[in-house]
Amino acid sequence: LMFKVKKAQGVNISRSFCGLNDHRNLELSIKYAKEAGMISQGALSITHSPVHTIDYYMGVVDHIVKYGADEICLKDMAGVGRPATLGELVRQIKKKYAGIKVQYHGHSGPGMSVASMLEVARAGADYLDVAMEPLSWGMIHPDVIAIRAIMDDAGFDVPEINMDAYMKVRALTQSFIDDFL
C-alpha cells in the first residue's frame, strides 16, 4: 500500500536498501514498487572492510537485478567508500548490466564523497546526489555548486545553475532553519 500511496503522491522512484546488504530484504520492496508503477532502485549500503569487496557487492547486484530492480544506488551513508573502489564497482555494474542506471549517494562525513563522485562519474554513473547550502556538507551531501564545477572542469556536459533560483531557495531554507533554532 505504501508504494501505491507514494506513487499517487507523485513519487516515481522507490529506493530500497538493507543496511546489512541482505538481498532477501529487498526482494519484496522491489516487487511492490514495480507493481505500483514506480522505478525500483535497489541500493547497496556501502562501507569499507576486507569483506566488502567489489565481488561482494556484485553478488548483491546480481540478486537485486534478478528481482527486477530498474536502477542501482551506491548508498554511501557514512561517506567511507573509497573513490577508486566505487569507480571500479560502477564500471563492473555498467559492463554486466548496461541498461541499468547507477546513482551515487555519498555523504560528506570524512570528506571522500567529492572524489568518489568524480570517480563514479568517470566510470559511467548516471546520477549524483547533491545538496545545497545551508544543508550541504557536514554529514550531508556535497553542495551542488562545487560538484557542478568539478564535473564541468572534468569535461562533463553539465547545465548551468540558475543562481537567482538557488539563492532564493537557499534563503528560504535558511529561514526555516533559523525559525527552528
Side-chain angles (χ1 to χ4, degrees), residues 44-66:
L44 307 174
S45 293
I46 300 297
T47 193
H48 178 75
S49 82
V51 173
H52 295 89
T53 64
I54 293 168
D55 287 340
Y56 166 88
Y57 284 116
M58 285 303 295
V60 179
V61 169
D62 290 340
H63 282 94
I64 60 181
V65 168
K66 182 180 79 176

Side-chain angles (χ1 to χ4, degrees), residues 77-109:
M77 299 167 280
V80 297
R82 302 309 198 261
T85 300
L86 294 175
E88 182 57 28
L89 177 56
V90 170
R91 272 190 275 300
Q92 288 197 25
I93 293 169
K94 294 302 250 180
K95 182 178 178 183
K96 189 167 187 178
Y97 301 105
I100 296 276
K101 299 242 185 254
V102 177
Q103 184 161 355
Y104 176 68
H105 176 96
H107 289 241
S108 298

Side-chain angles (χ1 to χ4, degrees), residues 61-78:
V61 169
D62 290 340
H63 282 94
I64 60 181
V65 168
K66 182 180 79 176
Y67 298 150
D70 301 298
E71 299 181 356
I72 303 295
C73 176
L74 280 58
K75 189 169 179 58
D76 191 3
M77 299 167 280

